[in-house]
Structure formats: C-alpha cells, structure tokens
Amino acid sequence: MWHGPCKWPALVAVLCLAVPLAALAELGPTTPIAQSADERELITRATEFEQELERRGLILNEPLLKDYVAATGNRVVAAGKVSLPLRFNVLRDPNSNAFALPSGGIYVNLGLLARLENEAQLAHVLGHEAAHVAGHHAARQQQSRRRKVISAHLADLALMGTSVAYLPFIASMAHYSRELEQEADSNGLDYLLAAGYDPEGSTQVFGVLREIPVTESFLGSLYASHPDNAQREAAVRARLVGHDPVGNGRVGETEYLPIRLRALADSAELKLLGGQYELALRNATSLDKLAPKQPMGRYLTGEARRQMAAQPELAAQEQAVLRQTKYSDKLVAEMRSQQQSWLDAAQIAYGEALAIDSQFAPAHRGLGLVAHARGEATSMREHLSRYLALAPQARDRRYVEYLMTAP
C-alpha cells in the first residue's frame, strides 16, 4: 500500500468497518479469493467499503484514466498468471496513494497518477497491490494482529463537493508488515518482468515516492516515510541482477503523458476545493513544464492565486500546515496583506492562458471574477459575457448571470 502522513482534517479518510450491505454480486465474484471463514469476513467488509466508495461518487469513471489503469493492471496480472478476480479503479482523491482490498478491488488515487512518470512505474504499483491480494496478505496480517481494530473517529472527506463519513476498518486492510510489503515488492516485480516492462520502473517508483512531501500524501505511508525504503529498493535491485539490461522493456512514457496531464489537472482542482492552494500551484507548475503549449497550467495558476485572495483564512490554514506552525490571527493578517498581489498574479496567469488559446473559456471566467473582486463592473461583465458565449452550457451559468446583473 502506498500513502504517507496526512495533516489535512478535511481530507482524512479511514477505511470502514460497517456500512449497510448491498448485493455483493455487483462487485464481481469473491469466493475464489477466500481461503477461510475469517478471510470471507474480511472480503465482506471490504466489499461493503467498495460499495460505499461507489455510492459516494469517489470512484472515477472518466474513461481516459479508468480504462488505461485497468488495461495496465490486467496486462500485469495476466502475465503474472494471477487468476483472482481483480478490479482496477481510480479514486477521486488528490493524495498520493494506492491500496488493495481482499475483495479484489485495487485503487490508485488521482494524486499518485499525477506523480508517476511512465506506464512501467504504474505497472509496478498495480503489480505490487495485486500481489497483496494474491498473497492473501490481509488475512495473514489480521491473524498476526489478532483482529486489532484501528481506533478512529468519524471523518469527513470533502472531495468534489461531496462530504463522506467513514467508520474505522480492520488495520490489516490498510497497513501491512515489513515482511508482507517486501513479499509484495518481490512478487510484483515478477509480474512486471513477465509483462515485458522495463524493470527500472520498479526502482524508479521508490524515488518518485520519496519526493512526495508529507503534506501531499496520505495517512501512514510505507513508501513515503517508512525507514526501510532504502533497503527495500536495494532488495528490488538485487532481484534484477541477471535479468535483461534496463531499457529493453516497455516504458510507456509517451503513452502515459496524457494520463499524467489529466491527473495533474483533476487533482489540482480537488486540492483547490480542499483549500490546498500552494499544493495546487505545484500541480500547475508541473503541467506548464510537461505541456507548455496548453493553457490549463496557466489557468490553474490563476485559480490558485485568485482563490487565495478570496479565502485568506483558508490560505492561512494551509500555510500553518506547510510551515509546521500554528494557525493564528497574525498568519491570517499576513495572507490578507497579499490579496492584491495575488489578484495581480491571477490576472497575469489568466492572460497567459488566453495567449496560448484565446478560446479557453475558463480563463475569461477567471478574469471576470478578478474584476469582480476589484469592483471593476465593466471589465467583469465583458469577460463573463465572453465566458458564457464560449461555454453556453456552463454549470455555473446562473451564478455568472447573477454576478453580471447584480447592482
């Protein structure tokens, strides 16, 4: 499982212990995975959790990402001769994480897709998680922990405007021992090699995940913060001795680029919804570097700066986390002192987006909202009118029309 320490109360999610049970058949057959009554109980609970994710709209159904992840995962497990009924999904979550459930559900977050650099790295992540299921690691971990349950309170998960409350879940479903992680590393590497991927994808993943700040990752990471990562990477490299030289297998950097661009944009928008403005700016910077001829990176830069100006209290909360200090009136005052400069920066960024694509409607919306914040009614109406002309089906049309007609 991939994830790292999370300090965002609004974005904390813990796996659930009991959610109303729906028809298990909707998630596919689970019987072939189970080996014991205890494991069947784990599968039932995991299936309930998956159904809750689906009900709350946290499973992303965007074909570009969903189909690519599923195709990569199926390619890996087929080559590895994993005969279990596995399902690969993308979770609508900006944190860097991936996890497997004993019910066969394997999930990779938008945030991690945005961090990975090629298909070989994704193949390693999915192969690693598949190895957890194939090795019955949840049941083995449960036995070793004697059914110890994570102690946690209900937490609200605010993503895409949806508030979701989860109940605690058995620790073994979310967190594996060092030995089981090493076993998943080894078996996942075997799957990767069998599928014809460049084995360097496995070692690269450790480097990618080491670069993830704790503020961008999830609860309790074995990959972003575990003290034995260096030994685990060394063990993977040792396993590669005697195999074909690096570079002879599939890397898939070109194929993965549109996936990463979409994940960067989508996770940035989720971060903005969660008041993670500086973190969204990092996504925007990455988008600019990877696709300088596309307007999205510049637009998201403008959105982050504009929203920081509009919500200085939330900006102060984020800065308190990033600076590892206390939220205070002084910090709020500091953020308020920068409102005008942030509006200036937003205006420049939106203009740069339109210089790349003059028909990019969201940038006109951004300029209109900047003008509204400054009390510039004529400029506001001009840009918002242009926005609605370019995007006649805009979801926020009523709100925009209200701004345009308000005195």
Side-chain angles (χ1 to χ4, degrees):
M1 178 178 184
W2 276 261
H3 46 183
C6 178
K7 299 181 180 179
W8 301 101
L11 294 174
V12 172
V14 290
L15 299 176
C16 66
L17 175 61
V19 182
L21 179 62
L24 298 182
E26 293 180 8
L27 287 174
T30 58
T31 304
I33 298 177
Q35 297 294 313
S36 66
D38 284 346
E39 189 165 13
R40 285 193 293 272
E41 181 183 353
L42 284 174
I43 289 169
T44 296
R45 293 177 177 178
T47 302
E48 293 168 1
F49 173 57
E50 292 193 78
Q51 291 165 344
E52 181 70 359
L53 291 177
E54 184 70 50
R55 280 193 292 269
R56 299 296 185 174
L58 294 178
I59 298 177
L60 190 69
N61 290 316
E62 202 286 317
L64 174 67
L65 301 182
K66 178 181 178 180
D67 293 349
Y68 187 90
V69 168
T72 303
N74 288 327
R75 176 176 180 173
V76 170
V77 299
K81 298 182 179 179
V82 178
S83 58
L84 301 176
L86 304 182
R87 301 171 304 281
F88 297 92
N89 291 290
V90 178
L91 207 60
R92 198 189 301 270
D93 190 321
N95 295 296
S96 298
N97 189 26
F99 61 90
L101 297 174
S103 50
I106 294 175
Y107 295 85
V108 57
N109 287 8
L110 273 171
L112 184 55
L113 290 178
R115 279 280 175 179
L116 299 177
E117 299 165 342
N118 56 57
E119 187 178 304
Q121 293 176 10
L122 174 63
H124 173 79
V125 170
L126 298 176
H128 175 99
E129 298 302 335
H132 277 312
V133 183
H136 304 273
H137 287 179
R140 289 163 61 184
Q141 187 78 357
Q142 183 197 36
Q143 292 169 4
S144 69
R145 293 185 179 185
R146 299 180 183 274
R147 293 176 172 270
K148 181 179 179 182
V149 177
I150 297 175
S151 175
H153 296 288
L154 289 174
D156 282 341
L157 176 62
L159 294 176
M160 299 300 286
T162 302
S163 179
V164 184
Y166 291 106
L167 292 173
F169 197 33
I170 293 176
S172 59
M173 289 214 195
H175 187 84
Y176 297 109
S177 69
R178 180 187 311 169
E179 292 73 21
L180 292 181
E181 289 293 350
Q182 290 174 339
E183 182 179 313
D185 286 341
S186 178
N187 292 341
L189 178 59
D190 288 340
Y191 303 161
L192 185 87
L193 293 170
Y197 284 100
D198 188 332
E200 187 68 9
S202 290
T203 57
Q204 289 172 347
V205 166
F206 288 95
V208 168
L209 294 171
R210 275 198 303 270
E211 295 174 358
I212 299 174
V214 294
T215 47
E216 290 193 52
S217 50
F218 207 77
L219 189 62
S221 173
L222 285 174
Y223 277 79
S225 62
H226 197 285
D228 292 330
N229 275 345
Q231 291 92 323
R232 292 176 63 194
E233 181 177 354
V236 168
R237 290 191 178 278
R239 283 286 314 282
L240 293 176
V241 174
H243 287 282
D244 290 339
V246 170
N248 286 355
R250 177 182 175 87
V251 175
E253 184 173 354
T254 300
E255 294 84 351
Y256 191 74
L257 181 59
I259 304 303
R260 189 179 186 192
L261 294 177
R262 181 59 181 267
L264 278 165
D266 287 356
S267 60
E269 291 179 344
L270 289 173
K271 288 174 181 177
L272 290 174
L273 285 172
Q276 299 181 33
Y277 308 121
E278 289 288 352
L279 299 185
L281 278 171
R282 297 176 189 179
N283 280 41
T285 299
S286 295
L287 274 170
D288 273 337
K289 290 180 179 179
L290 292 169
K293 295 183 179 180
Q294 294 184 20
M296 184 57 76
R298 292 284 83 206
Y299 164 73
L300 287 171
T301 297
E303 281 294 280
R305 292 304 187 197
R306 180 185 66 79
Q307 292 187 36
M308 290 171 79
Q311 300 287 345
E313 294 83 3
L314 290 180
Q317 290 179 18
E318 180 188 31
Q319 287 302 313
V321 174
L322 295 177
R323 300 178 188 182
Q324 298 183 339
T325 188
K326 291 183 178 180
Y327 176 79
S328 64
D329 291 341
K330 181 179 180 181
L331 194 53
V332 173
E334 179 187 337
M335 297 300 104
R336 285 177 176 160
S337 71
Q338 300 182 66
Q339 285 177 292
Q340 290 305 314
S341 63
W342 284 337
L343 287 175
D344 291 342
Q347 184 175 22
I348 291 171
Y350 291 136
E352 291 171 344
L354 289 173
I356 296 171
D357 181 359
S358 62
Q359 305 300 303
F360 191 69
H364 282 290
R365 176 185 180 276
L367 286 171
L369 294 178
V370 167
H372 174 69
R374 288 174 165 164
E376 300 169 353
T378 300
S379 177
M380 175 196 71
R381 293 189 180 97
E382 176 185 342
H383 285 293
L384 293 184
S385 294
R386 182 60 175 157
Y387 165 62
L388 293 181
L390 291 171
Q393 304 301 318
R395 296 176 63 181
D396 63 345
R397 186 178 187 92
R398 281 191 174 184
Y399 169 68
V400 171
E401 288 176 340
Y402 167 76
L403 290 180
M404 293 170 61
T405 57

